[in-house]
Amino acid sequence: MQASEVSRVVAAAMSTASSLGLTADDAIVLHDSNKLTLRLLSCDVLARVAPVAHQVAWFELELAQRLAESGCPVAALEPRVEPRAYERDGFVVTLWTYYEPVAPGEVSPTDYANALQRLHAGMREVDVPTPHFTNRVEQAQQLVTDRDRTPALAGADRELLGDTLRSLRRVIDERGGAEQLLHGEPHPGNVLTTKNGLLFIDLETCCRGPVEFDLAHAPEEVGEHYPGVDQGLLRECRILVLAMITTWRWDRGDQLPNGRRLGTEWLSQIRAALDCKGLDTHG
């Protein structure tokens, strides 16, 4: 979120909560990216706010409700208000249950894998229209080829990302393995450690594809504890996902702190991974 917009976002979230009878006299920014995540006090509500043009709130709300009803490990909506998306001052505000973090500590790969497996099991029971994972890869490919949106991306790096995205997208898609509804980005930043166990948040990235695509976003050790994983497919998915998130970092509109530094580091990791696996992305 642009720094100039943060105060407007906070005001939109607080006024929305107040209009619904919740006491919101302060706000703490918990996460800042394409949307702002806030803890509203003293009502202790989690507010997620995005520009109207960039949100898919209705989809996320419906899916979160259905998954929660199925017993999936997902964050719940705020029970004191109607579960809907609220528009205010050009932003869309959704309100969620705030979970007090448990004592800090490492999340065990086994617990992570078990929670993700439970999420996937519940997702197999939900029928909702979602894009295929290749649609998201295509978005990254379009960004790589758009020099106006990625002006700082050097020629060799642009070629590397383009070749990697194109080649691995084809290889993974042609495997023809089992596919299902996925979280889309179940990385540690989208996992809450609570007294109720691990809970997944940010369902707006859901897509269809192999479970290995989801596992590619998690720490490497998690894939070792998830049953039935195709380790070769997982390795390919890891490189593909790394190429995707590296591409986002070169978007001139990227707002991730230290994003450009990370993008440079990840380019080196992609080259090392391709060399290690002996993959030819020029085919």
Side-chain angles (χ1 to χ4, degrees), residues 52-63:
V52 169
H54 299 161
Q55 60 82 33
V56 288
W58 282 113
F59 167 77
E60 184 178 23
L61 292 172
E62 179 186 359
L63 185 57

Side-chain angles (χ1 to χ4, degrees), residues 63-74:
L63 185 57
Q65 286 181 284
R66 294 176 65 177
L67 291 175
E69 291 168 358
S70 300
C72 287
V74 295

Side-chain angles (χ1 to χ4, degrees), residues 168-190:
L168 288 178
R169 169 188 172 183
R170 184 187 69 249
V171 168
I172 295 168
D173 196 34
E174 289 178 350
R175 278 179 173 266
E179 297 185 346
Q180 67 157 84
L181 180 64
L182 304 173
H183 180 287
E185 289 187 359
H187 55 69
N190 284 334

